[in-house]
DNA sequence: ACCTGAACACCGTTCAAGT
DNA sequence: ACCTGAACACCGTTCAAGT
């Protein structure tokens, strides 16, 4: 009989913060945030749950913070060297599409992004957005507003999408004299892009 | 000695779904979502935790759904009878301000609003927004987009605010050649209104 | 019909101990 | 330095029982 490597062998990849975050993200994406458990995470890493605390001393809180940073703290690329009104507009559009996609593939961390966790996680993202706008000739004040508006829209829209298509009719009391008509199934891709154009339309350098 | 009413007296207000939701919201607003526990909720209602299941058979899941509905499923008022471009614009602005305030005073439920829970909860809200836009002369298609855009912005912005003012600098790798400058403290009220105008600016009937 | 009490399977985390 | 095992205080929920 060929000797199998011992189950608790030491030659498996050593535990590291990166591997922990990766495994946690895989659990969230595959089974949902509610099923991310220190014990289950330990199982996925073939380690006892308590071993995680050696790399993340603040425990689950620290893990969730790290996940938010990993998913949401992505600065936008600087705009390509050429300038002109279409240049930075296209850059922002591209960033928004990529960022939305990122949020949707890791939809399980969206609730974490909304909580007060990790207050500085989005600072880099907003700063890079402001920079793109500034280079596009938008005045400082307007750029600060536009950066936050754009980020708010993308995050908010991702949240709406994650809730799923709203199949039912309206709820609650109707305002008098108004028959609110429920909307049919929504093409979220198209709607996101249309709303994005609406937000960008107000920006004139 | 005056006889005190028995502690487990029956003359306390009988348990009801309304009272349960009210008490839960009070716990969330006062101590945070993480401290909302069936047992603690029972204590607040002077009842054993298991009594809650008699009114909410699906347990905590149903409670959280009800909380989202209670906080977020508020249709916008119909615009005042007069028409003209400023009328409905003012109506939308007023709604957005009120809705944001509502979300911020119950910031603890924001993570719940983002999760897939209660998919129909926002249907009534979006429908009433579409109706206001339609009455303002905005074509059906544009109205549907604008309603979602506006709602996404308000929810997203509330989320940004709840995370707190971002005191630290940027995080993560900087794009080459760009020194992203961290922003100072933000006046969220002013920023929200400015962003709101940015979103509404693109809407021409 | 409405509420209680005990019990079950699970959490996150601590702490002393192993190698 | 890195991981384990047992233990503690807490969860949500079930189920039989009380009134």
């Amino acid at each position: 009989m060929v000797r199998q490597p011992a189950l608790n062998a030491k030659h498996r990849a050593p535990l590291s913060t990166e591997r922990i975050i990766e495994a946690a993200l895989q659990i969230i994406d595959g089974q949902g945030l509610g099923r991310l458990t220190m014990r289950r995470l330990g199982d996925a890493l073939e380690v006892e749950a308590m071993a995680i605390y050696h790399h993340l001393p603040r425990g689950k809180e620290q893990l969730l913070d790290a996940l938010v940073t990993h998913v949401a703290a992505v600065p936008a690329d600087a705009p390509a060297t050429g300038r002109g009104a279409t240049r930075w507009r296209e850059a922002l559009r591209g960033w928004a599409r990529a960022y939305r996609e990122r949020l949707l593939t890791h939809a399980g961390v969206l609730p974490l992004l909304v909580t007060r966790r990790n207050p500085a996680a989005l600072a880099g993202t907003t700063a890079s957005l402001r920079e793109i706008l500034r280079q596009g000739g938008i005045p400082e004040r307007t750029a600060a507003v536009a950066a936050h508006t754009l980020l708010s829209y993308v995050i908010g829209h991702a949240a709406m999408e994650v809730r799923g298509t709203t199949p039912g009719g309206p709820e609650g009391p109707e305002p008098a004299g108004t028959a609110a008509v429920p909307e049919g199934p929504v093409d979220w891709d198209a709607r996101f892009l249309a709303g994005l154009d609406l937000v960008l339309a107000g920006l004139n350098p």
Side-chain angles (χ1 to χ4, degrees), chain A:
Chain A
M1 254 202 254
V2 178
R3 204 149 74 80
Q4 293 288 108
L7 281 176
N8 284 341
K10 296 177 169 67
H11 59 294
R12 70 169 125 81
L15 213 47
S16 70
T17 311
E18 283 79 28
R19 281 192 60 224
I20 293 173
I21 293 177
E22 225 166 279
L25 209 51
Q26 198 163 322
I27 292 176
I28 293 180
D29 293 345
Q31 317 184 37
L33 179 61
R35 288 189 58 83
L36 175 63
T37 281
M38 297 304 271
R39 284 167 159 97
R40 235 188 303 262
L41 183 55
D43 277 359
L45 293 162
E46 297 185 73
V47 111
E48 220 61 29
M50 295 70 203
I52 299 169
Y53 288 82
H54 198 267
H55 297 86
L56 301 172
R58 267 179 37 246
K60 199 174 189 184
E61 206 78 358
Q62 191 173 359
L63 173 64
L64 299 182
D65 283 358
L67 285 169
V68 171
T69 301
H70 184 85
V71 171
V74 192
D77 285 336
T81 52
R83 53 194 167 295
T86 53
R87 251 322 192 208
W88 59 268
R89 249 196 176 77
E90 224 30 67
L92 289 182
R93 230 191 296 266
W95 169 84
R97 282 158 61 156
Y99 199 76
R100 163 181 174 254
E101 201 140 348
R102 192 177 178 79
L103 292 181
L104 290 183
T105 59
H106 304 296
V109 307
L110 217 55
L112 300 178
L113 183 65
V114 167
T115 324
R116 88 240 154 279
R117 297 177 193 299
N118 215 344
L122 290 180
T125 308
T126 49
S128 63
L129 286 177
R130 283 206 321 276
E131 181 60 19
I132 293 181
L133 287 156
R134 217 186 48 76
Q135 285 187 21
I138 307 282
E140 195 80 19
R141 284 270 176 75
T142 317
V145 170
H148 261 134
T149 304
L150 190 56
L151 187 54
S152 296
Y153 168 68
V154 175
I155 291 177
H157 199 277
M160 304 274 298
E161 293 186 61
V162 167
R163 326 189 81 251
T165 320
T166 59
E171 302 202 5
E174 293 298 322
T178 312
V181 185
E183 199 183 8
V186 177
D187 179 346
W188 288 108
D189 285 3
R191 181 143 299 183
F192 173 75
L193 293 176
L196 181 57
D197 282 339
L198 191 61
V199 173
L200 292 178
L203 280 180
N204 302 313

